[in-house]
Amino acid sequence: MSEDLTRLIHLLDVEEIEVDLYRGRNTDAGWIRVYGGQVVAQALAAAQRTVPAERPVHSLHSYFIRPGEPRIPILYQVSRERDGTSFTTRRVQGIQHGRTIFVLTASFQTVENGLTHQDRMPDVPGPETLPTEEERHRQRRESIPEKWRDIFDKRDHPFEFRPLDSYDSFRPVPMHPASRQWFRARGTVPDDPALKAALLAYATDMTLLDTSLRPHAVSWGDPALQAASLDHSIWFHTVPEPGHWLLYDQVSPAAAGGRGLNMAMSSILTGG
């Protein structure tokens, strides 16, 4: 297991400081605000602590209300909204300086058998034939503004991403608002379904927002661009092994009013 993945697993091990109250640490990755995927994953981890293991998460819906401050921990207050015969519902508030910065509602379900179907995986090149995200950044290093170069160099990389195209976020050209990425955790993850779900939640926010920028050729270095996640939802039909290759098939069907809608489906590469 890589050091970056080990640090992330520790980050998702939120500390219980009172009944239904948890504390999440932050990383020193040079960001001006906390990465949204971290907040989603830590809030989910806190909610899962209050739910029996035999009821895995099947969906979550969340809103980012205020930017998270990286220099101080985030408190996660869990509310036990409902414990039914088959379903459990939890609401989580992320709090800093006494103010709510994030809210999440998650639903959990007893494992049941039922009807099953899934779209066929697209016919795309395999991950081993593609360069990694880090390799692409090294090739373009001189075109990346120094501020962004430092952030990318400093931040942890617990997941390996392999884009299927060569889109350049700092020298963009207009492209169709769609993107496909292979990704996987950099190592074998402990056999803990709750941890696997939190890790996947962390990864889902890493490349989504970029998709809505593609048809407009807006550079991440453009000072007029203010980019942040406003809300984030996930449906877990299964929880695959994070250490296996997953295809993240992303599309942005619309953008208006200064907001972009980004959607994605994840498919598992058979055999890992």
Side-chain angles (χ1 to χ4, degrees):
M1 185 186 298
S2 72
E3 292 183 6
D4 290 353
L5 181 58
T6 299
R7 279 193 290 270
L8 175 56
I9 290 174
H10 288 315
L11 197 70
L12 299 183
D13 185 17
V14 292
E15 176 190 1
E16 184 175 9
I17 57 177
E18 184 51 271
V19 176
D20 295 343
L21 183 62
Y22 300 84
R23 178 163 48 208
R25 300 180 300 276
N26 292 320
T27 61
D28 180 19
W31 298 105
I32 59 173
R33 56 178 177 263
V34 180
Y35 162 58
Q38 174 196 311
V39 184
V40 173
Q42 287 183 328
L44 174 59
Q48 289 177 133
R49 294 282 192 88
T50 70
V51 179
E54 59 269 19
R55 290 195 178 190
V57 62
H58 76 81
S59 67
L60 65 82
H61 308 274
S62 60
Y63 282 92
F64 299 93
I65 298 173
R66 296 181 176 90
E69 185 179 326
R71 293 184 296 275
I72 63 172
I74 302 173
L75 296 180
Y76 295 97
Q77 177 71 61
V78 181
S79 298
R80 304 189 183 217
E81 301 294 333
R82 181 175 184 269
D83 290 287
T85 304
S86 299
F87 289 87
T88 291
T89 306
R90 294 290 184 262
R91 185 176 185 271
V92 184
Q93 288 179 273
I95 302 167
Q96 282 186 324
H97 296 299
R99 300 192 302 175
T100 300
I101 66 166
F102 174 82
V103 292
L104 173 143
T105 302
S107 183
F108 304 79
Q109 181 189 11
T110 301
V111 177
E112 299 178 3
N113 294 322
L115 302 174
T116 301
H117 71 271
Q118 181 174 317
D119 284 349
R120 182 187 297 272
M121 178 181 283
D123 184 13
V124 298
E128 303 298 348
T129 68
L130 301 167
T132 66
E133 181 186 40
E134 290 91 334
E135 289 170 340
R136 292 186 188 275
H137 273 263
R138 282 195 293 270
Q139 293 169 359
R140 301 168 177 155
R141 186 173 180 79
E142 297 308 315
S143 68
I144 300 175
E146 186 174 349
K147 179 187 74 170
W148 288 96
R149 191 188 311 162
D150 292 344
I151 289 174
F152 190 84
D153 290 344
K154 189 176 182 181
R155 77 180 190 187
D156 284 349
H157 298 275
F159 286 87
E160 177 182 355
F161 278 82
R162 298 200 178 205
L164 271 76
D165 60 43
S166 57
Y167 183 75
D168 188 335
S169 298
F170 294 96
R171 291 183 177 177
V173 296
M175 295 181 68
H176 183 66
S179 173
R180 287 170 173 167
Q181 305 245 0
W182 288 106
F183 77 96
R184 67 177 176 184
R186 294 184 185 273
T188 302
V189 174
D191 190 18
D192 178 351
L195 173 61
K196 293 174 182 178
L199 285 169
L200 291 169
Y202 178 94
T204 56
D205 196 38
M206 297 194 77
T207 60
L208 261 181
L209 194 151
D210 307 56
T211 313
S212 60
L213 297 177
R214 288 187 168 219
H216 310 284
V218 178
S219 168
W220 273 99
D222 189 333
L225 177 66
Q226 294 185 4
S229 296
L230 298 176
D231 55 84
H232 195 77
S233 297
I234 307 173
W235 288 264
F236 297 88
H237 298 289
T238 62
V239 178
E241 290 291 336
H244 290 182
W245 282 115
L246 303 172
L247 180 65
Y248 204 35
D249 194 356
Q250 303 158 99
V251 63
S252 176
R259 304 180 309 278
L261 174 62
N262 302 282
M263 305 168 63
M265 292 185 63
S266 180
S267 302
I268 306 167
L269 179 62
T270 304

